[in-house]
């Protein structure tokens, strides 16, 4: 029994003598020596060897442009005076779109009254195909849903 105990200790010491130099040689390898190749590793940031420069590449800016008449440039800090007539001539795109939408709805109502409602009253079966500026005149579930959802909006 004593012999088996000493042989185990001897084997353990031999294993330790083999493992220590092996561990020391592996300790000389650092994580910087490992290079993972592939675009996915570059995207994740695991491959620092081919890392892109930290400074982003920017397009060349246009040079500064001086005004043609330097006497017309206002003093810094002084708000420019805008004539009331200039402000009145500005067109608000939202207002223009709103008025054009109202006009389109009016045209749709007129078109559908003539080509759909009156044609249906005469018994014309082709009246279902009538389509005005905003779409078909014939009501559907989707047009009803659109009408219900649009009616909840507040108009200014």
């Amino acid at each position: 029994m004593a012999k088996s105990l000493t042989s185990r200790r001897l084997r353990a010491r031999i294993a330790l003598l083999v493992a220590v130099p092996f561990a020391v040689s592996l300790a000389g390898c650092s994580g910087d020596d490992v290079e993972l190749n592939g675009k996915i590793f570059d995207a994740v940031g695991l491959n620092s060897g081919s890392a892109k420069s930290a400074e982003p590449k920017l397009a060349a800016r246009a040079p500064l442009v001086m005004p043609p008449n330097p006497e017309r440039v206002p003093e810094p800090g002084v708000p420019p005076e805008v004539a009331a007539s200039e402000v009145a001539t500005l067109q608000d795109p939202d207002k223009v779109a709103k008025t054009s939408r109202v006009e389109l709805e009016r045209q749709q109502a007129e078109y559908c009254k003539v080509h759909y409602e009156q044609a249906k009253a005469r018994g014309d079966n082709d009246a279902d195909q009538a389509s005005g500026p905003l779409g078909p005149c014939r009501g559907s579930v989707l047009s009803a849903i659109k009408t219900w959802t649009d009616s909840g909006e507040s108009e200014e």
Side-chain angles (χ1 to χ4, degrees), residues 104 107-112 115-116 129-138:
L104 282 175
Q107 290 174 359
Q108 176 79 6
E110 288 177 5
Y111 181 86
C112 290
H115 294 92
Y116 179 71
Q129 306 300 323
S131 181
L134 293 178
C137 294
R138 181 180 179 194

Side-chain angles (χ1 to χ4, degrees), residues 115-131:
H115 294 92
Y116 179 71
E117 293 172 7
Q118 291 177 359
K120 280 299 246 186
R122 289 190 306 264
D124 187 5
N125 292 332
D126 292 333
D128 291 337
Q129 306 300 323
S131 181

Side-chain angles (χ1 to χ4, degrees), residues 21-104:
F22 184 70
V24 169
S25 67
L26 284 180
C29 297
S30 67
D32 294 339
D33 295 341
V34 178
E35 185 173 325
L36 303 171
N37 293 325
K39 290 184 179 181
I40 188 72
F41 297 116
D42 290 339
V44 175
L46 293 176
N47 191 1
S48 62
S50 65
K52 296 176 182 162
S53 64
E55 187 175 334
K57 295 180 181 177
L58 300 174
R61 290 188 335 178
L64 294 176
V65 178
M66 292 301 295
N69 187 358
E71 285 79 32
R72 293 185 57 203
V73 177
E75 291 292 323
V78 178
E81 296 179 15
V82 180
S85 61
E86 292 178 15
V87 174
T89 59
L90 295 177
Q91 290 185 353
D92 184 14
D94 293 333
K95 187 175 180 181
V96 171
K98 188 176 180 182
T99 56
S100 65
R101 178 72 181 178
V102 169
E103 179 63 24
L104 282 175

